[in-house]
Amino acid sequence: RTPPPRVRRAMSRFPLRVLLALVALIALPTASLASGEPLHIGNFQRTLDADELWVVEIMSPMCGTCQTFAPVWQGFSAKHGTKVKVGQVNIDTEDGMELAVDLGVLAVGVPSVWAFAKADGVGINVWKDETGAVPTVDALATAVFGLFENQRVTAEGFLGKTVAGDAGEL
C-alpha cells in the first residue's frame, strides 16, 4: 500500500531536516563559545607585535566548564573589548594546541585567562578553573586590570603598560 502524496513529500524531506538539525546541534555550542579573535600558532606573534594588552582565553568547546564560563567571557569581551584586545585559543584545533604548548599554558588547564602585555609572548595567568566555579564579568575585569599599575587609560585603551605581578586567584 502506497502512502498518500502528501505523506510521501513529507517523508522525502525528512532526511534533510534531520541533517539540518544535527548540524545545528553541533554548530551552536561551538559558535556560542567564540568570543574574541581566534588565535593560533600562525597569527599569535603578529598579534603580540601590535604592542597592545591582549587578554586571551585558553579553551576547548568540548569542556563543560568552558561552556559554563562562555557567558562570562562574552560579557568581558563586550564590556571591555574596546579597552583591550580580546583573543581566544581553541586547543581542539591543531594550530591552537600548538600555540598552547608553545606558551606553556596547558599545565594550568582549561579554561584559563591570560594577559599578554609585551611582545615576548610571556603571559600572566589571570584566572584558571580549579573548582568549576566561574567568576563574574566584573571579578574577571578586576583581576585583569588589577595586574597593571601606572597605567594610562585613553579612549583607545591602555598605554604605558607596566605589569604589577601575578594576579593571584579569584
Side-chain angles (χ1 to χ4, degrees):
R1 181 169 166 216
T2 305
R6 186 177 71 181
V7 173
R8 283 189 303 221
R9 280 192 305 269
M11 289 173 57
S12 69
R13 290 186 296 233
F14 179 74
L16 179 61
R17 289 180 180 168
V18 170
L19 179 62
L20 289 173
L22 286 173
V23 168
L25 285 173
I26 292 169
L28 284 177
T30 304
S32 69
L33 289 177
S35 192
E37 182 176 336
L39 299 176
H40 50 78
I41 197 72
N43 70 354
F44 188 70
Q45 190 59 49
R46 174 186 53 81
T47 299
L48 288 182
D49 287 342
D51 195 32
E52 298 175 88
L53 175 61
W54 275 85
V55 183
V56 177
E57 178 195 21
I58 311 299
M59 54 73 70
S60 164
M62 307 301 282
C63 158
T65 307
C66 296
Q67 292 176 4
T68 303
F69 181 66
V72 173
W73 185 246
Q74 290 169 346
F76 178 85
S77 298
K79 191 171 184 178
H80 302 289
T82 58
K83 297 177 191 165
V84 298
K85 297 293 185 179
V86 178
Q88 194 172 47
V89 177
N90 178 353
I91 65 167
D92 288 347
T93 67
E94 189 175 318
D95 286 344
M97 177 59 84
E98 187 176 351
L99 175 59
V101 168
D102 282 359
L103 294 174
V105 298
L106 290 179
V108 172
V110 295
S112 60
V113 176
W114 295 77
F116 296 88
K118 299 178 183 172
D120 61 8
V122 176
I124 298 171
N125 180 230
V126 177
W127 175 79
K128 61 184 173 182
D129 172 44
E130 292 184 313
T131 63
V134 298
T136 64
V137 171
D138 291 336
L140 181 60
T142 298
V144 168
F145 299 125
L147 283 173
F148 299 90
E149 59 186 45
N150 303 325
Q151 67 217 11
R152 291 181 292 143
V153 182
T154 68
E156 292 79 37
F158 279 77
L159 298 174
K161 302 170 290 291
T162 305
V163 177
D166 197 338
E169 297 305 313
L170 293 179

